[in-house]
Each structure stands twice: as structure tokens, then as C-alpha cells.
Amino acid sequence: MLPESTPFSLWLSWMEAPQGQGFLICFLHCSFPNPFMLADLDMLASRHQAFCQALPQVSPFYAVKCNSSPWVLCVLAALGTGFDCASQVELEQVLGLGVAPSRIIYANPSKPASHIRYAARHGVQLLTFDSEEELTKVAQHHPGARLLLRLRTQDRQSTFPLSTKFGASLEACGHLLTSARDLGLAVVGASFYVGSNCQTPQSFTQAIADCRCVFEMGHGAGHDMSCLDIGGGFPGTEDSGPKVISAALAQDFPEERGVKVIAEPGRFYMESFCTAAVNIIAKKAVLEPGGSRQLMYYLNDGHYGSFRLGHRKPVPRVPIVVKVRGPLQPQESSPLP
Ligand SMILES: Cc1ncc(COP(=O)(O)O)c(C=O)c1O
């Protein structure tokens, strides 16, 4: 996407940046003083195709929180994805593009009453919940909602686990399902989230098996259980996840049961989509305890900017030269001088 005349002397790339974005350094004589993001819109179509090929039985509802840029949402809307919104602002953004409310899930188990009313007014019916308190709110503000019961998962291996915050335990589900029925609310299925960048596909297997139990409990409580939401958490690089997930779905939710299966991928679509372009703005020589001299480089973006998720789990990064312009001619893939 950069014009040929872009006046960088040298481009370096750092793989495995936080938030899954590729990470690109522009070094020396750069005429863009501020860091910026490069976006490859073609990549969205490729990632969508990759998702649909890997899990053809699952409809993706893109997680808007991952990147809510209007360009991203427009392209994905045109490609026909659904959308996972976590707040009124996200609902407004997606509805504003003309996306039908039936293509949206309001997938936040703890919602402000005013946002629930907004969803009700605009016909967004699919909502998640994980507590009795939330059921009371929904009964008051959106009695026609179609609810998914969000389950707690084993997500300790993920880069960004959320199960301490969201998700009901399996033991609590029976009570929640009867409470919903007694309040006149329709529970239509179950959902879960295994945490971002899930490295253990078995977490999906366990969660899908737990959802099967919830479906049985739901049927027992008189609900018409017809939708399974397997959340997000898919790594942005190819892995064994889809095979394991497909096997678990075939085992617990075979197609003949007629359950609609949806997912909320974010990182899967975004990891290769964005590249952060930053400058080295200073360097400093420091003497190590053994007497060796090291150079430290300072960037104009960092942990309090684009790389804030790096606080949780720093990812080691290797700089690679990807493009050379101007007088400097370093070796391909050479380390920084
Ligand atoms: C409920 C829910 N669904 C989906 C996502 C997107 O996750 P990922 O980017 O790991 O696919 C998140 C991220 O926090 C989430 O909380």
C-alpha cells in the first residue's frame, strides 16, 4: 500500500508483535515523524476465505473490539460476515453500515441497561448472559431477546484469558436456565470464549462438550436450544485448532442436530492485516557488566501506545530487513547494527 516514492531509507520488520500485528520499523531519514499503521484490505478477504475453509460449518461473527476501523467493518460487511459487538458504540457502528440486526450478536455478558434498551429498539436480539442479575436486567429492558448462556472455560494457556471475569460455571447453569424460563426469557443456546490466541485446542473440545451438557439442561428446562457460539481465540497463524474443533463439533453437535454454529474471531482476521510502522528516534551505547558494548534503540511507539497488550506476555521479536532504500545497504535479515 505504500507508494513507490515513499522516502524511507530502510525498512525492518519485527515479527510477532503484541496484539498479533506485524511490526515494522522505519529506520533513519524517515519523512513520517509519527508512528502509523499500515492495513492490507485484501488480506481481510483472504482471512475470511481461510476461516470459511478451515471451519465450513461455522459462521464467523467478527469481534468488532479487535479492530473497529470503518474500513475493516465495511469490507467484512460486504463479505457477509456477522458481527460480535460488545457495546452500544459498536452496535451503532455496525448498524450504521446497514448490517441487518440478525447478523449481530451483542456478546457481552455484563451490559448497561441503556445499551440493552438500544439493542432492543434496533432489533438486535441475540445477547449473551452469565448471571441471574443480567437475566433480571434483560427481562426488564429486552424481554424479546434470544439469549446464549456464556460458560466459563479453561483458558490459562491463552495470551488474554477472561474466564475469571466472564462465564458461568457448569454447576450454575441449571439454575440460570430455570430462572430464565421463570422470567419468560428464551435461552436459545450457549457460548464460550477460550481466551485470545488459544494455544490449546483441547480447550475448545472441553468447552464444546460442556455446551452439549448445557443444551441438554436447556431442553430439560423447556428452552429451544438451537445456537452454539464457540467464541474467538483462534490464533492468527495456521494451527491444528480447526481439525480439533471440527472433531469436537462432529462428536457433540453433529450436523443432523440442526444446531447453528457461530464464532467470534478477531485476531484470526487481524493478525496479518495490520503492520505498525515506527521510527527509531534515538540510540544509546551502554556497557554491559562484562565490558561488552551494546546499542539500545528507542522507538516512537511503545508499551503505552500500540504495544500495550505486551504488558501481559512480552513476545520476543527478531528484526528482519525487508526493504532497503537510499545509501544504507545492510545484509538481508541482518540484525540491527
Ligand atoms: C467474547 C469475545 N469474543 C471474541 C473475542 C475476540 O477474540 P480473538 O481476537 O482472540 O479471536 C473477544 C476478545 O476479547 C471476546 O472477549
Side-chain angles (χ1 to χ4, degrees):
M1 286 182 59
L2 278 176
E4 262 306 289
S5 57
T6 306
F8 294 123
S9 291
L10 172 66
W11 288 93
L12 299 175
S13 143
W14 272 5
M15 313 304 285
E16 298 269 347
Q19 291 188 290
Q21 292 147 347
F23 177 103
L24 194 120
I25 300 176
C26 139
F27 181 55
L28 299 178
H29 313 313
C30 173
S31 61
F32 291 107
N34 297 318
F36 58 92
M37 286 281 177
L38 292 167
D40 180 354
L41 290 174
D42 284 348
M43 184 57 76
L44 283 182
S46 311
R47 295 310 286 162
H48 180 56
Q49 204 180 10
F51 190 93
C52 296
Q53 272 168 5
L55 290 169
Q57 68 281 55
V58 180
S59 306
F61 280 53
Y62 169 71
V64 174
K65 64 176 79 66
C66 199
N67 183 336
S68 58
S69 129
W71 286 105
V72 170
L73 301 183
C74 274
V75 171
L76 291 178
L79 288 170
T81 68
F83 292 91
D84 149 22
C85 297
S87 66
Q88 179 171 332
V89 170
E90 292 183 3
L91 290 170
E92 284 169 0
Q93 265 190 292
V94 175
L95 288 167
L97 296 173
V99 172
S102 57
R103 280 169 61 191
I104 299 175
I105 176 170
Y106 186 0
N108 186 335
S110 302
K111 302 169 278 298
S114 61
H115 295 201
I116 298 175
R117 283 197 297 273
Y118 178 89
R121 274 200 310 280
H122 290 84
V124 175
Q125 285 195 301
L126 205 53
L127 270 57
T128 59
F129 77 103
D130 65 1
S131 70
E132 208 153 354
E133 291 77 1
E134 194 70 9
L135 280 177
T136 312
K137 256 192 284 175
V138 174
Q140 189 181 349
H141 301 289
H142 196 345
R146 299 170 65 242
L147 294 170
L148 299 183
L149 174 47
R150 170 129 165 213
L151 270 184
R152 189 175 296 166
T153 59
Q154 194 295 93
D155 61 359
R156 280 190 299 275
Q157 306 297 326
S158 302
T159 303
F160 199 71
L162 279 178
S163 272
T164 47
K165 189 172 169 187
F166 293 125
S169 66
L170 203 48
E171 297 75 52
C173 288
H175 178 67
L176 289 171
L177 288 160
T178 48
S179 296
R181 182 199 57 205
D182 295 346
L183 286 164
L185 291 169
V187 180
V188 298
S191 77
F192 62 82
Y193 178 56
V194 293
S196 203
N197 200 18
C198 173
Q199 299 299 317
T200 49
Q202 297 71 22
S203 303
F204 279 97
T205 309
Q206 183 59 54
I208 289 169
D210 288 349
C211 283
R212 180 184 171 160
C213 298
V214 175
F215 268 58
E216 280 158 17
M217 287 186 233
H219 286 309
H223 294 291
D224 182 11
M225 306 290 276
S226 56
C227 181
L228 170 69
D229 175 3
I230 63 171
F234 313 92
T237 46
E238 307 319 317
D239 71 340
S240 58
K243 271 201 186 114
V244 177
I245 294 167
S246 292
L249 289 174
Q251 163 87 25
D252 292 313
F253 291 91
E255 261 177 52
E256 54 274 20
R257 281 186 67 175
V259 169
K260 179 178 164 75
V261 185
I262 68 173
E264 303 163 0
R267 178 188 292 269
F268 185 90
Y269 279 74
M270 283 301 123
E271 181 141 323
S272 357
F273 170 71
C274 273
T275 302
V278 303
N279 290 336
I280 293 175
I281 48 164
K283 65 179 177 179
K284 184 167 80 179
V286 287
L287 277 184
E288 294 290 290
S292 64
R293 182 175 169 275
Q294 295 280 349
L295 277 178
M296 298 216 322
Y297 291 90
Y298 293 80
L299 308 179
N300 59 351
D301 201 351
H303 277 188
Y304 294 98
S306 309
F307 305 103
R308 59 191 170 280
L309 275 191
H311 280 309
R312 284 234 174 182
K313 277 190 189 167
V315 185
R317 298 176 200 108
V318 183
I320 303 168
V321 177
V322 293
K323 198 156 192 174
V324 180
R325 282 182 188 277
L328 278 172
Q329 297 294 323
Q331 294 295 304
E332 185 101 339
S333 298
S334 66
L336 286 170

